[in-house]
Amino acid sequence: MTDITIALSKGRIFEDTAPLLKAAGIVALDDPESSRKLILSTNRANVRLIIVRASDVPTYVQYGAADLGIAGKDVLQEHGGAGLYQPLDLNIARCRMMVAVPNGFDYDSAVRQGARLRIATKYVQTAREHFATKGVHVDLIKLYGSMELAPLVGLADAIVDLVSSGNTLKANNLVAVEEIMQISSRLIVNQAALKLKRDAIQPVLDAFSAAVKQ
Ligand code: ATP
Ligand code: MG
C-alpha cells in the first residue's frame, strides 16, 4: 500500500480535526497535544501524521513533504495556494477575518477622508489586497501575534485579525468595523501526489467528504 503523510497543526485546528480523522478511520497512536514527537504513526500502517506550525502546513504540502494537510483559509490566502489542490471545506475552526479599531476611532470617516492608515497584522498580503480593492491607503506593519496590542500603544491605527467570540477585542477596548472574509479550515492536497498516489489518497478524500457532510 502506498504511504501517505498528512500535515496538521496542534491547537485550535487539531481539536476539530481529530473527530474528522477518526471518521475517516485514522487514529494517531500518540496524543499530538501531549507528545513531543513531530511524526506520529496511526492505526493505519500506511498513514502518518506530521505536526507543523499552522502557517507552515501549505508549505509542507506544496513541496510534497506531506501529501495532504489541513489549513485555515487565512493561512491559505496568505500563502497563495501554489501547487495545492483544495478539494474540501471542512467547515471547522470557523471565524472571521476583520478590521478592528480602538473604541471611538471613526474608521468610516477616516476612510471617507482618504486618511493613510497604519494597519498591524499577521496577514500582510491579504490586508494589502483588501485595502487596495477598497482604495484605502495603508502602511502595513507585520506582526506575528497579539495584534490587539498595536493600536493601544500607538503602533497602528487599526488591526486585521481573526475574530470568533470578540472577547479579546472587547477586553482590549477594540471594536470590529469591517469583515474581510469568513474563515474555515480546508483540506489541501499536493497536486502531483494526487495523480501519482490516487489509490491511497482518494479513499481519504472520500472519507473526509462523507464525515463533513454528516
Ligand atoms: P501559533 O499560535 O503557533 O502562533 P497560529 O496562531 O497560527 O500559530 P492557532 O492560533 O492555533 O495557530 O490558529 C490556527 C488556525 O486556527 C488559524 O490559521 C485559523 O484558521 C484558525 N483560528 C485562529 N483563531 C481562530 C478563532 N478565534 N476561532 C476559530 N478559528 C481560529
Ligand atoms: Mg495563535
Side-chain angles (χ1 to χ4, degrees), residues 128-150:
R128 179 176 292 120
E129 257 180 65
H130 172 75
F131 291 109
T133 304
K134 277 181 59 101
V136 175
H137 298 287
V138 293
D139 291 319
L140 292 159
I141 300 167
K142 167 82 182 182
L143 291 178
Y144 293 87
S146 301
M147 270 75 81
E148 295 84 1
L149 179 63

Side-chain angles (χ1 to χ4, degrees), residues 9-21:
S9 55
K10 290 191 192 187
R12 219 181 283 270
I13 289 183
F14 190 80
E15 280 169 32
D16 289 356
T17 303
L20 283 178
L21 281 173

